[in-house]
Amino acid sequence: MSETRAALSSNELKVADIMSEATDPACGAVAAFIGTVRETASVDKHRDASVVALEYDAHPSLAEEKMEEIVRAAAEKWGLERVVAVHRTGRCELGEPTVVVACGAGHRAEALEACHWIIDEIKATVPIWKKEIYSDGSSWVGDESS
């Protein structure tokens, strides 16, 4: 039986702690995706903006429920031993982790494929919204496509 956890967190994400949750003696591989705040964002095709922070908001119960559904589906599809997905809410500064997905599996292919699928599903289906804060004080609210 797989162990899964999906959550939102208003606190700084501790990557090492999340990775350790996906580690198990039965796992020959642990794959991770760590999304971070980058310093530029494409405003349109012709210009980038200087980002100083991101702010995330989510529908708490629906977001966690959907994330849990995603990690359980991945665990079943790829035969994962452990899966953890945690997404930040609130303000995140440059370089700070905003989302961490960690998958522990018997083999690397399954861990890597599942990790890729999970982050894509989170971005496409979970009710989480991102606000970009630019250096000039302006902001833009967009989808979670960073």
Side-chain angles (χ1 to χ4, degrees), residues 39-63:
E39 64 186 355
T40 58
S42 295
V43 177
D44 58 39
K45 291 183 195 177
H46 307 291
R47 77 183 162 101
D48 288 338
S50 180
V51 174
V52 296
L54 298 177
E55 288 183 10
Y56 287 96
D57 195 8
H59 188 290
S61 60
L62 288 178

Side-chain angles (χ1 to χ4, degrees), residues 1-134:
M1 175 112 179
S2 300
E3 290 187 35
T4 64
R5 182 171 80 88
L8 298 174
S9 177
S10 60
N11 298 318
E12 178 184 340
L13 300 183
K14 306 286 189 198
V15 175
D17 292 348
I18 294 168
M19 292 293 297
S20 72
E21 288 184 63
T23 303
D24 185 273
C27 299
V30 177
F33 172 81
I34 304 163
T36 61
V37 180
R38 67 175 179 258
E39 64 186 355
T40 58
S42 295
V43 177
D44 58 39
K45 291 183 195 177
H46 307 291
R47 77 183 162 101
D48 288 338
S50 180
V51 174
V52 296
L54 298 177
E55 288 183 10
Y56 287 96
D57 195 8
H59 188 290
S61 60
L62 288 178
E64 286 188 339
E65 181 179 304
K66 184 63 179 171
M67 287 174 65
E68 185 61 40
E69 179 183 305
I70 291 166
V71 298
R72 282 194 312 266
E76 184 176 322
K77 181 175 181 176
W78 281 280
L80 305 174
E81 296 294 327
R82 295 179 180 232
V83 187
V84 182
V86 184
H87 202 297
R88 270 295 306 272
T89 57
R91 186 178 174 102
C92 300
E93 303 299 328
L94 287 178
E96 188 175 345
T98 59
V99 59
V100 178
V101 176
C103 298
H107 303 281
R108 70 180 174 271
E110 291 82 0
L112 289 165
E113 290 171 17
C115 195
H116 185 195
W117 182 82
I118 290 167
I119 191 59
D120 285 352
E121 286 296 304
I122 288 172
K123 289 172 59 173
T125 65
V126 177
I128 297 172
W129 303 277
K130 174 179 72 176
K131 179 180 180 181
E132 295 175 343
I133 311 298
Y134 303 132

